[in-house]
Amino acid sequence: MSALSAPQALAAPERALAPPGACAQSDSEAAGLIVLPRFALVDVNNFYVSCERVFQPALEKQPVVVLSNNDGCIISRSNEAKALGIKMGAPWFEMRELAKRHGVRVFSSNYALYANMSQRVVDVLRSFTPDIEVYSIDESFLRIERVAAAQADAVGFAQEIRQRIRNWTGLPVCVGIGPSKTLAKFANHIAKTRPGFEGVCDLHSLPKAQRLQLMWQTDVGEIWGVGRKLQRRLRQLGIESVLDLRNAEPEYIRQQFGVVLERSCCELRGLSCLNLEQMDEPKQQILCSRSFGEPVFTLDELREAIASHVASAAVRLRRQHSLAGVLTPFIEGNRFKPDYYSNALTLALPLALDDTLQLTQYALRALDKIYRPGCRYQRAGVLLSALCPRAQRQSDLFEDGAALQKSARLMTVLDRINQEHGRNTVQAAAAGIGQRWGMRAEWRSPRYTSDWNELPRTVSHPGQAAPASAA
């Protein structure tokens, strides 16, 4: 925190606002002729852990952690696990003994379950307002000035959001409300870390002295977009608390750190510089890669991995109605082993494609050229780039129109089958079926919401009338 004491900070004079053009209020806003923005950030508490608890209530109040791909490191912790000193991002092999000693429940990441639960939360939020930006798998911004005004009580409105999400999905959330997105994130942090707020913090409802007090008590590293490296640089300039950054001159911040942090500085003063981003912009590149669960040596297994990644990338490509002009398969060994080797080959495709089978053929030919026998491989993947909208596809004078239409119909049917019956129900034979190289997921929970064979089951106990049945 700042070297200033709290009373000194609170007594600091309000500095004249000097917002850049993008942040400036218009004359009509200043005259109060239009409704000023009010943002709410809804964030699921300990999202991955909370998803596991929905289907296993016995995990409540127990220390629980969720691991990353290949069970490498810790990516989600319950509050009980945090209290044991288990750090975010800590390698699992370093925490294994501590977890065993304290009876910590461990889960491999289950992204099929988490993605489905995230969509359910978003569906609930859309029942309150259509003005929503899905920021991440567990966070969404809402514009609520009009709906909150209709209810005349933003805190009560936010509590209704919390209760409905809890009742309909079983997930706990906190809600932060502020006049800008950065202040909504700050308010959410306050709601999450201070039990007295009961999961909701509306900065509009707090006296100015209390708002400044909270800013003075909060480290600048908690501000949206301020990572560890930036936090260190800010501290070197004496900007240690959120209040310090709020009181800094925006122009000085821009000179030292650029326009992004300048906007954060303005947003902390209550000037909204960032609007909701409700439309997902098509990606300019698509990367699909994974580390292997165990080292891979043979070309056949690498071919399976590359074909599998091409299939995943092509699905994402078709989903955003794009074509790829460049394909780059790559393979990589373990840099800590003496036989380390990595290579990639970039191919400019004759015509932009979204056909899984054709992309696979190109990728496997490239793999044959970069594969080196006898090496230990730890990772493989593909990068699709030079993406263009399908509607703007450049035609070729000699292309076979009938074959093109046949390919499009085939991919449509392929995607529909896999969407309705589960991922990889139909796939290229080159992707293999055994996949020994697949990810390590020793403690993955069932995919309760997306696989018929893994639905939750109810079991009757002796003496109870209800028979055992699938849910």
Side-chain angles (χ1 to χ4, degrees):
M1 289 187 293
S2 167
L4 290 173
S5 66
Q8 285 175 319
L10 292 174
E14 289 293 311
R15 301 185 184 185
L17 299 180
C23 302
Q25 288 179 300
S26 65
D27 292 338
S28 56
E29 285 177 321
L33 299 179
I34 63 174
V35 179
L36 293 176
R38 181 176 293 195
F39 295 89
L41 177 67
V42 182
D43 184 8
V44 183
N45 302 339
N46 307 324
F47 180 58
Y48 295 167
V49 167
S50 295
C51 288
E52 301 292 348
R53 282 175 164 172
V54 168
F55 297 94
Q56 299 189 54
L59 296 175
E60 290 290 345
K61 299 183 180 179
Q62 299 295 318
V64 182
V65 297
V66 175
L67 306 180
S68 63
N69 291 338
N70 283 321
D71 298 340
C73 61
I74 294 169
I75 57 173
S76 183
R77 307 159 294 161
S78 67
N79 291 338
E80 295 78 10
K82 295 174 187 175
L84 292 174
I86 297 177
K87 302 296 184 186
M88 187 70 165
W92 170 238
F93 71 90
E94 292 182 1
M95 293 290 108
R96 190 188 296 270
E97 286 303 316
L98 176 68
K100 185 178 180 180
R101 195 161 58 247
H102 293 280
V104 177
R105 294 292 305 274
V106 183
F107 290 89
S108 303
S109 48
N110 185 346
Y111 293 115
L113 173 65
Y114 306 151
N116 185 272
M117 296 300 290
S118 173
Q119 185 57 52
R120 295 180 185 212
V121 171
V122 172
D123 290 343
V124 176
L125 294 175
R126 291 194 193 284
S127 68
F128 287 95
T129 175
D131 299 325
I132 177 172
E133 173 190 340
V134 181
Y135 178 68
S136 67
I137 194 170
D138 61 342
E139 292 178 289
S140 293
F141 285 104
L142 312 177
R143 281 288 294 264
I144 63 167
E145 58 270 16
R146 300 186 191 282
V147 287
Q151 299 205 6
D153 178 12
V155 174
F157 174 69
Q159 288 293 359
E160 186 181 346
I161 291 176
R162 293 186 72 222
Q163 195 61 48
R164 190 178 298 180
I165 292 176
R166 185 72 169 181
N167 291 342
W168 291 11
T169 69
L171 294 171
V173 303
C174 285
V175 183
I177 300 174
S180 66
K181 292 170 75 173
T182 302
L183 282 175
K185 285 276 284 187
F186 171 69
N188 189 281
H189 171 75
I190 297 299
K192 192 170 289 185
T193 54
R194 296 173 185 255
F197 284 90
E198 298 181 342
V200 173
C201 176
D202 177 13
L203 294 180
H204 302 83
S205 67
L206 303 179
K208 183 176 180 180
Q210 187 178 0
R211 293 200 304 269
L212 298 181
Q213 180 81 22
L214 291 170
M215 287 182 171
W216 176 77
Q217 293 173 339
T218 305
D219 193 285
V220 71
E222 298 294 341
I223 286 300
W224 188 25
V226 177
R228 292 182 182 178
K229 187 176 179 181
L230 190 53
Q231 181 187 17
R232 282 197 296 272
R233 290 183 58 199
L234 286 167
R235 282 178 171 275
Q236 289 171 356
L237 297 175
I239 300 174
E240 301 183 356
S241 71
V242 176
L243 184 64
D244 292 335
L245 183 58
R246 174 197 178 275
N247 286 341
E249 288 292 346
E251 186 175 342
Y252 173 73
I253 294 296
R254 180 173 53 185
Q255 291 171 351
Q256 295 293 323
F257 302 97
V259 70
V260 174
L261 195 61
E262 180 198 22
R263 286 179 184 153
S264 299
C265 183
C266 290
E267 290 229 327
L268 287 175
R269 297 176 169 213
L271 299 175
S272 176
C273 304
L274 303 171
N275 293 321
L276 284 189
E277 297 178 4
Q278 295 176 264
M279 299 293 292
D280 290 334
E281 293 293 329
K283 295 184 182 300
Q284 299 302 308
Q285 293 184 329
I286 295 177
L287 172 67
C288 280
S289 73
R290 290 277 169 78
S291 297
F292 300 129
E294 52 187 271
V296 163
F297 296 89
T298 69
L299 178 60
D300 287 343
E301 288 182 310
L302 283 176
R303 290 172 67 88
E304 289 184 0
I306 289 292
S308 177
H309 293 316
V310 168
S312 298
V315 168
R316 292 164 59 183
L317 188 66
R318 292 191 291 272
R319 195 175 295 157
Q320 68 172 32
H321 307 291
S322 296
L323 302 172
V326 173
L327 169 68
T328 306
F330 61 88
I331 51 179
E332 184 176 353
N334 187 334
R335 63 178 67 251
F336 300 105
K337 299 294 182 181
D339 61 350
Y340 172 71
Y341 168 74
S342 69
N343 206 344
L345 184 61
T346 298
L347 300 176
L349 302 174
L351 289 173
L353 294 172
D354 66 354
D355 185 302
T356 298
L357 302 181
Q358 295 180 56
L359 288 169
T360 301
Q361 289 177 356
Y362 282 113
L364 295 185
R365 287 178 202 162
L367 174 64
D368 291 341
K369 295 181 180 179
I370 60 177
Y371 172 71
R372 177 183 290 178
C375 295
R376 179 198 310 258
Y377 295 97
Q378 195 71 33
R379 181 169 173 257
V382 294
L383 174 67
L384 301 181
S385 53
L387 306 189
C388 65
R390 185 185 298 159
Q392 300 176 12
R393 178 178 178 275
Q394 183 70 43
S395 300
D396 181 85
L397 182 62
F398 303 104
E399 72 181 11
D400 185 343
L404 200 63
Q405 293 180 9
K406 185 178 179 181
S407 165
R409 289 198 299 271
L410 177 61
M411 291 302 107
T412 301
V413 172
L414 180 73
D415 291 342
R416 186 178 302 164
I417 291 175
N418 286 331
Q419 185 174 8
E420 294 180 358
H421 299 279
R423 186 180 178 187
N424 297 335
T425 299
V426 179
Q427 64 176 9
I433 53 176
Q435 298 187 343
R436 185 192 65 84
W437 46 270
M439 281 198 309
R440 190 185 305 125
E442 190 175 348
W443 299 286
R444 183 181 63 76
S445 57
R447 292 161 290 194
Y448 298 104
T449 60
S450 58
D451 191 312
W452 286 107
N453 297 317
E454 299 180 18
L455 287 175
R457 293 176 179 276
T458 58
V459 180
S460 66
H461 294 283
Q464 291 183 330
S469 63

